[in-house]
Amino acid sequence: MELSGAEILVQFLKDEGVEYVFGYPGGSVLHIYDELYKQDEIKHILVRHEQAAAHAADGYARTSGKPGVVLVTSGPGVTNAVTGIATAYMDSIPMVVITGQVPTAVIGSDAFQEVDTVGITRPCSKHNFLVKDARDLAVTLKKAFHLATTGRPGPVVVDVPKDVTDPNVKIPYSYPESVSMRSYNPKVKGNARQIRRAVELILSARRPIIYSGGGVILSGAAESLTELARLLEIPVTSTLMGLGGYPASDRQFLGMLGMHGTYEANMAMHECDVLIAIGARFDDRVTGKIEQFCPDARIIHVDIDPASISKTVKVDVPIVGDVDSVLTDMLQLLRSSERRLDPEELKEWWALIERWRSANCLAYERDSELIKPQFVVEKLWEITAGDAFVSTDVGQHQMWSAQFYRFDRPGRFVTSGGLGTMGFGLPAAMGIQFANPGRDVACITGEGSIQMCIQELSTCFQYMLPLKIVNLNNRYLGMVRQWQEFFYGSRYSHSYMDALPDFVKLAESYGHVGMRIEKPAEVEDALKEAFALKERLVFLDFITDQTENVYPMIAAGKAHHEMEMSPKSVLI
Amino acid sequence: MRHIISILLENEAGALSRVAGLFSARGYNIESLSVAPTEDPSLSRMTLVTRGSDEIVEQITKQLNKLVDVVKLLDLTEGSHIEREMMLIKVRVGNGGEREEVKRLADIFRGNIIDVSPASYVIELTGDGDKLDAFIQALGGITILETVRCGSMGIARGEKSLHL
Ligand SMILES: Cc1cc2nc3c(=O)[nH]c(=O)nc-3n(C[C@H](O)[C@H](O)[C@H](O)COP(=O)(O)OP(=O)(O)OC[C@H]3O[C@@H](n4cnc5c(N)ncnc54)[C@H](O)[C@@H]3O)c2cc1C
Ligand SMILES: Cc1ncc(C[n+]2csc(CCOP(=O)(O)OP(=O)(O)O)c2C)c(N)n1
Ligand SMILES: [Mg+2]
């Protein structure tokens, strides 16, 4: 088959099974757009800003099990997309980003809309390529998909100069079924000896805890994790990225750990004697003060990326491999043996944990005249039967989402954890809805964050995406305000969101339904009404208590047992 | 501690900047770096000298291995190895005394005088860094016009070797 570069690119995407491309056209990608025009197999979603294209592809990837695909033009198209690429990189999300580039002949001459895409994206992508010859296009794209989706996933950028897609230059094409790279062979199966050592250590534990992370979700290992934890009756805590990896409504789940983790999770971390870290990367929001991290624990760490292991915290039993594969091997060893943890010790450990749990660390004022943000999330959870896909932006509302929407399934909570990108929520929700048509998708956001990608309301109207936007409007960059209250003598420097738009009218002018909710008594009905509107996007503007803070909180540089507690919780 | 790391790298545009970028982004130091294609033109061999605690060097090697362009890597410091640098040094030799003195020193250090002009010599010298430093010291009053040194190159002793 003789095809032009542009035809090859589009044909390759079809052969690769790509359903959606999130993009925005421009000069350097016009040949490609012309090919997209001539077909209808691949659906191109036209966003309103390239950042949103990347976030939408990200949301799509997190909830479809397939890589997200982005197409943007050179120069400003690329620089706009960078925030989205970096966001996906920090959270290890598989994505292929195809960027237009100026023709090869003028690369390096400061040509119109030229930027050094490979240079700019090098530190925020898993890998990147510049394709200089159309004959390399198909195999490079195959490499990109391979790299993005295997090992520790991540975004891969393929920079394509305009002449490479020239419609007049035809070359042979056949779909490369597979690709091998001598320098890239991620290890999937864990070392058998290490796995046996880990099982021995777990069986000898008196106060074990599982610290589960985003790797469990990425690996599709929620079932194996749940089975392991239940078999051995070990308590489970999760990072922000790992939520849903173990059912949150289960008694063995202690909630999230870390800076805004629960009292029981953080205390159990501090007191544990064996820590089983699974697909988690010991982020500083999780560890707190490194010197006092799990002071009595021997640590097992399962991770597919050797560089994640012993990066910040030295571990005793490292296991490099895919979580699901390693847990399956562990389960096999355990099933073929009668040995279990000492039941008496375990009972005492659980008694201690139940005492911590009774502190009720997430308690908040329930008879307030003002809408409490926690209450809105709780009600959302109830009304969607805990079964919605939830994306968030970044700030207090993000933490309340993590604490109060109890995720029982993996891949339901979509949030920017590593980069903490405000503006992520709405476009990510779009991607989720494309991947999951007919399902409830809520975007929990704040009045600050939502304004960072608000233009996407237009995309939502064009494609009739019936998202439910839950705006926890506290008129503050709340997370910033909270830090200023705690650590800067309540000097609220530039954290007040003045001159806010009327979000109801704004939603309406984009063709959507808008609601403003000001009283606690109206919260439930408003949510019910919104979710009953199956075909429409509803923007719910909840006017919430401006003074509410996220508790518990471990201040920067403090250890797990040094939590700042809500005035409402009962300390014991 | 000082580590000397040998890396086999895809001989592709940008591979070097991935390594250099990794070091600057993560705040690791590079003491010296030398790189050139090998007998297999699809591969480059890089020798990189860095300093850091055991934990940092462990991270450095892991992060290097993670780069898609890095094919194989060996921390030479872990075994016995040979290390060489090369220096070209141009000195002023105005009178017969200086010419004699430089010739004698070059012989002692087993260097070669590879360029001669009425007022200057260029000496080529190989050895480890200390030897090259010692030569510069030994030149004493002789005026150095310029020096150029390549980064360290290293290779393991015995049969151990870094190849595909
Ligand atoms: C405002 C704000 C507050 C935050 N507060 C908290 C907080 O209180 N608590 C908290 O936990 N986080 C918090 N975060 C998030 C935090 O910044 C990190 O993003 C998060 O803790 C990282 O989660 P993780 O360790 O699960 O790693 P991820 O970033 O999810 O990384 C996944 C790990 O799993 C590995 N992996 C990937 N695939 C596989 C596989 N197939 N098999 C094996 N391993 C695999 C990867 O190599 C990596 O090491 C907050 C973020 C923000 C923005
Ligand atoms: C792009 C970007 N800029 C700045 C920040 C720093 N930041 C973190 S949380 C936050 C406040 C977010 O305010 P809002 O969206 O209203 O959420 P709230 O905390 O009030 O719930 C800011 C400014 C960020 N995370 N991302
Ligand atoms: Mg706010």
Side-chain angles (χ1 to χ4, degrees):
Chain A
M1 207 175 5
E2 295 253 312
L3 299 178
S4 74
E7 287 168 332
I8 288 178
L9 197 146
V10 171
Q11 186 57 45
F12 174 88
L13 294 179
K14 289 180 192 169
D15 293 342
E16 186 67 26
V18 172
E19 196 183 354
Y20 288 104
V21 171
F22 300 89
Y24 207 92
S28 67
V29 286
L30 280 175
H31 299 326
I32 303 170
Y33 271 84
D34 197 41
E35 280 315 312
L36 286 171
Y37 186 78
K38 296 176 190 160
Q39 57 86 52
D40 53 14
E41 226 171 292
I42 293 175
K43 286 164 251 164
H44 177 275
I45 305 304
L46 179 68
V47 294
R48 299 298 181 267
H49 186 294
E50 289 87 349
Q51 177 185 352
H55 290 329
D58 183 323
Y60 176 86
R62 293 191 207 215
T63 56
S64 69
K66 292 183 1 184
V69 180
V70 179
L71 174 61
V72 296
T73 194
S74 67
V78 171
T79 52
N80 271 352
V82 164
T83 299
I85 298 171
T87 302
Y89 181 62
M90 289 296 276
D91 290 341
S92 305
I93 304 305
M95 184 188 289
V96 173
V97 184
I98 299 165
T99 57
Q101 181 55 282
V102 301
T104 42
V106 297
I107 287 181
S109 68
D110 302 321
F112 176 63
Q113 296 198 323
E114 177 180 6
V115 291
D116 175 8
T117 299
V118 165
I120 288 178
T121 60
R122 188 181 300 122
C124 62
S125 62
K126 180 169 171 182
H127 195 64
N128 57 21
F129 298 95
L130 170 63
V131 183
K132 286 192 170 149
D133 188 326
R135 277 167 300 206
D136 299 333
L137 194 53
V139 79
T140 307
L141 284 166
K142 187 69 196 177
K143 282 183 185 171
F145 277 84
H146 178 62
L147 287 168
T149 53
T150 54
R152 180 176 182 169
V156 178
V157 177
V158 184
D159 200 23
V160 185
K162 189 167 183 181
D163 53 313
V164 170
T165 56
D166 187 341
N168 299 314
V169 182
K170 306 269 182 180
I171 46 162
Y173 167 78
S174 66
Y175 173 66
E177 290 290 341
S178 67
V179 70
S180 85
M181 300 171 77
R182 61 181 170 186
S183 58
Y184 177 76
N185 298 294
K187 200 158 163 271
V188 171
K189 199 152 171 57
N191 177 291
R193 219 189 99 233
Q194 291 295 84
I195 292 176
R196 266 197 313 274
R197 275 185 63 203
V199 167
E200 280 303 315
L201 184 55
I202 295 170
L203 289 173
S204 73
R206 291 154 48 222
R207 300 186 308 276
I209 184 166
I210 291 174
Y211 148 44
S212 150
V216 172
I217 312 283
L218 291 163
S219 165
E223 263 178 51
S224 323
L225 172 71
T226 307
E227 195 180 337
L228 180 80
R230 293 224 171 115
L231 184 69
L232 302 178
E233 280 180 74
I234 298 178
V236 181
T237 179
S238 165
T239 67
L240 183 73
M241 300 308 295
L243 292 175
Y246 187 89
S249 41
D250 189 84
R251 191 192 66 94
Q252 269 174 252
F253 189 62
L254 309 188
M256 183 169 80
L257 81 164
M259 182 174 276
H260 292 297
T262 65
Y263 185 66
E264 51 272 32
N266 286 333
M267 289 306 286
M269 288 292 286
H270 194 72
E271 299 291 335
C272 73
D273 71 341
V274 172
L275 176 67
I276 310 155
I278 308 182
R281 59 181 173 83
F282 296 80
D283 184 84
D284 51 270
R285 296 255 148 162
V286 164
T287 57
K289 189 177 185 184
I290 288 280
E291 298 76 41
Q292 286 187 48
F293 176 77
C294 299
D296 303 327
R298 308 251 283 146
I299 304 178
I300 298 163
H301 188 188
V302 184
D303 202 294
I304 202 156
D305 179 4
S308 268
I309 296 179
S310 294
K311 181 166 69 175
T312 53
V313 172
K314 195 107 192 115
V315 307
D316 302 281
V317 186
I319 304 175
V320 177
D322 172 59
V323 168
D324 199 48
S325 161
V326 171
L327 293 186
T328 305
D329 289 351
M330 281 187 179
L331 279 165
Q332 202 166 5
L333 285 178
L334 285 164
R335 281 199 220 96
S336 62
S337 150
E338 301 279 274
R339 291 176 52 210
R340 292 295 177 261
L341 285 83
D342 183 328
E344 284 309 308
E345 297 279 7
L346 204 55
K347 218 168 123 192
E348 264 181 51
W349 179 225
W350 271 110
L352 196 56
I353 289 171
E354 291 307 338
R355 250 186 61 209
W356 289 324
R357 182 143 45 195
S358 67
N360 202 6
C361 70
L362 297 180
Y364 63 90
E365 199 188 330
R366 291 197 174 260
D367 40 19
S368 167
E369 304 266 287
L370 302 170
I371 297 179
K372 290 287 179 181
Q374 300 96 321
F375 177 69
V376 178
V377 179
E378 251 177 13
K379 281 290 159 200
L380 175 69
W381 176 73
E382 261 176 50
I383 282 158
T384 55
D387 202 26
F389 289 85
V390 176
S391 75
T392 76
D393 269 300
V394 174
Q396 291 181 315
H397 63 273
Q398 179 187 27
M399 294 299 109
W400 288 316
S401 307
Q403 293 173 334
F404 289 90
Y405 198 105
R406 281 181 257 158
F407 294 93
D408 283 342
R409 288 183 192 78
R412 290 302 171 88
F413 184 50
V414 174
T415 196
S416 166
L419 200 65
T421 308
M422 288 172 69
F424 174 79
L426 174 56
M430 300 183 333
I432 299 171
Q433 189 79 76
F434 279 114
N436 302 275
R439 306 302 300 266
D440 287 338
V441 180
C443 165
I444 303 179
T445 182
E447 78 299 325
S449 295
I450 192 69
Q451 292 189 80
M452 285 211 178
C453 276
I454 192 85
Q455 76 287 345
E456 296 308 316
L457 286 174
S458 170
T459 313
C460 292
F461 187 65
Q462 180 174 345
Y463 297 97
M464 278 316 211
L465 300 175
L467 308 177
K468 305 298 177 260
I469 298 175
V470 177
N471 188 33
L472 300 178
N473 186 343
N474 52 10
R475 282 83 71 216
Y476 271 109
L477 300 172
M479 187 56 95
V480 173
R481 189 203 58 75
Q482 175 168 348
W483 281 61
Q484 290 170 335
E485 179 186 330
F486 287 11
F487 311 116
Y488 296 88
S490 294
R491 292 181 298 282
Y492 297 138
S493 177
H494 302 276
S495 53
Y496 183 65
M497 276 274 107
D498 215 337
L500 283 174
D502 178 333
F503 285 111
V504 173
K505 284 195 190 140
L506 185 76
E508 285 169 359
S509 86
Y510 275 110
H512 303 302
V513 179
M515 297 181 184
R516 179 175 300 108
I517 304 96
E518 291 174 283
K519 296 201 184 67
E522 299 164 354
V523 169
E524 186 164 343
D525 285 347
L527 284 167
K528 280 186 177 155
E529 193 183 329
F531 280 92
L533 289 171
K534 291 280 175 213
E535 311 293 321
R536 301 297 299 274
L537 183 149
V538 184
F539 193 113
L540 296 122
D541 190 22
F542 291 97
I543 310 303
T544 61
D545 184 351
Q546 302 188 272
T547 61
E548 193 54 86
N549 288 322
V550 182
Y551 292 108
M553 174 168 185
I554 303 175
K558 290 275 169 76
H560 278 152
H561 63 301
E562 301 173 303
M563 273 163 282
E564 193 78 41
M565 300 292 281
S566 151
K568 278 272 149 188
S569 59
V570 208
L571 262 197
I572 37 157
Chain B
M1 200 182 119
R2 179 175 180 275
H3 284 252
I4 172 161
I5 300 170
S6 273
I7 305 163
L8 281 180
L9 195 65
E10 295 289 356
N11 186 11
E12 272 177 22
L16 175 61
S17 52
R18 286 182 208 282
V19 174
L22 171 72
F23 274 70
S24 66
R26 295 194 181 263
Y28 308 142
N29 73 57
I30 300 184
E31 229 172 71
S32 83
L33 185 152
S34 82
V35 58
T38 64
E39 75 284 2
D40 171 353
S42 72
L43 286 174
S44 292
R45 171 133 174 180
M46 177 184 278
T47 310
L48 200 151
V49 179
T50 183
R51 247 172 226 285
S53 63
D54 289 352
E55 291 78 38
I56 288 179
V57 174
E58 183 183 330
Q59 259 302 304
I60 290 176
T61 55
K62 283 175 168 177
Q63 292 291 349
L64 282 169
N65 264 316
K66 200 167 144 178
L67 293 178
V68 172
D69 286 336
V70 169
V71 184
K72 228 170 168 184
L73 173 160
L74 180 65
D75 184 348
L76 291 174
T77 328
E78 283 165 4
S80 97
H81 65 277
I82 303 158
E83 210 181 306
R84 287 289 181 274
E85 273 178 52
M86 177 165 154
M87 172 166 71
L88 301 178
I89 178 163
K90 188 178 287 183
V91 294
R92 173 170 292 138
V93 280
N95 55 48
E98 284 175 345
R99 295 175 94 84
E100 264 314 298
E101 172 68 1
V102 171
K103 173 89 180 64
R104 200 175 56 82
L105 282 171
D107 284 344
I108 293 172
F109 281 83
R110 272 176 277 163
N112 301 314
I113 296 171
I114 55 173
D115 182 68
V116 177
S117 81
S120 70
Y121 278 171
V122 174
I123 307 126
E124 167 202 0
L125 196 66
T126 55
D128 61 17
D130 286 349
K131 174 177 158 186
L132 304 192
D133 292 342
F135 181 72
I136 291 174
Q137 285 290 314
L139 284 173
I142 308 283
T143 306
I144 297 174
L145 295 171
E146 61 180 298
T147 63
V148 48
R149 279 164 87 151
C150 73
S152 281
M153 297 179 295
I155 197 162
R157 283 188 187 276
E159 277 163 43
K160 188 169 183 180
S161 68
L162 179 64
H163 60 98
L164 283 193

